[in-house]
Amino acid sequence: MAVGVDSPAPCCPKGSHVALAPQSGACCGHEITLGVDGSGGGGGFRCYTSGAPTASRTAVLVFHDVFGMDSGNHKMVCDALAAQHYVIMPDFYDGWSIEPFYNAGKAGDGKKELARFNWAWCSPRVEAVLQHLSEIGIEKTGSIGFCWGAWGVAKACQDRRIHAGVWAHPSCQVGKELYE
């Protein structure tokens, strides 16, 4: 049984709907590498980008869920948003996913491992993304987060350079369970 497809993930509130099955089809974006100091290249982290800086000079910063950047429909959501905005989704986990822990029935161990991706870990990546956006002429940035990513959006929106935040399927216990 695939977690999130046949049943909600163990971290979801009771009565939650199952995740949408990943859609087939090619994604339109591509990956870039940013360094934690904003530079590209060595020591950096992957980001999925879609769209181009448009006349609107707007961007959307996407925070993925506990399953990571490469799971589910994240990239397709980025591509849909890219119709009117430049979209960037950093891999906040450097390829990690909680899915193997859930599939092994060890969600608690997965949450312990997830705790290492705290704001001290994530904020330099957000800073590098914001620097990148500034360099390509973006003037307004919104954000959207799924599950764990809702916590990231709440943290990121404390920065005045993030103008809006949306939580989709928020995991409201992330801050309390993992980081406080």
Side-chain angles (χ1 to χ4, degrees):
M1 171 169 63
V3 171
V5 175
D6 300 322
S7 64
C11 61
C12 294
K14 188 174 183 158
S16 294
H17 295 282
V18 298
L20 294 174
Q23 303 298 309
S24 61
C27 293
C28 304
H30 66 279
E31 288 190 10
I32 63 171
T33 301
L34 296 177
V36 290
D37 63 352
S39 65
F45 59 98
R46 298 181 312 140
C47 297
Y48 181 78
T49 64
S50 193
T54 63
S56 70
R57 301 214 175 273
T58 59
V60 178
L61 169 56
V62 177
F63 286 77
H64 55 71
D65 64 15
V66 295
F67 297 102
M69 181 176 94
D70 297 312
S71 71
N73 294 310
H74 295 109
K75 292 177 181 176
M76 294 185 88
V77 168
C78 291
D79 293 344
L81 292 169
Q84 295 184 28
H85 312 280
Y86 177 76
V87 181
I88 186 165
M89 177 177 52
D91 181 0
F92 287 104
Y93 299 167
D94 288 341
W96 185 86
S97 173
I98 203 166
E99 187 167 11
F101 293 93
Y102 284 166
N103 290 341
K106 297 183 178 193
D109 292 343
K111 287 181 182 180
K112 287 177 189 171
E113 190 70 20
L114 182 62
R116 70 184 162 119
F117 302 110
N118 58 24
W119 194 242
W121 172 269
C122 295
S123 64
R125 287 153 177 77
V126 171
E127 184 60 38
V129 166
L130 292 172
Q131 182 178 335
H132 165 71
L133 296 176
S134 176
E135 289 169 359
I136 63 172
I138 298 297
E139 296 174 358
K140 295 216 182 259
T141 302
S143 57
I144 184 169
F146 302 92
C147 179
W148 170 91
W151 167 84
V153 168
K155 297 295 278 185
C157 281
Q158 295 174 34
D159 187 314
R160 299 181 93 168
R161 296 171 291 174
I162 306 284
H163 299 94
V166 175
W167 300 358
H169 187 72
S171 181
C172 298
Q173 73 264 11
V174 168
K176 185 176 182 180
E177 276 193 29
L178 300 176
Y179 307 123
E180 294 175 4

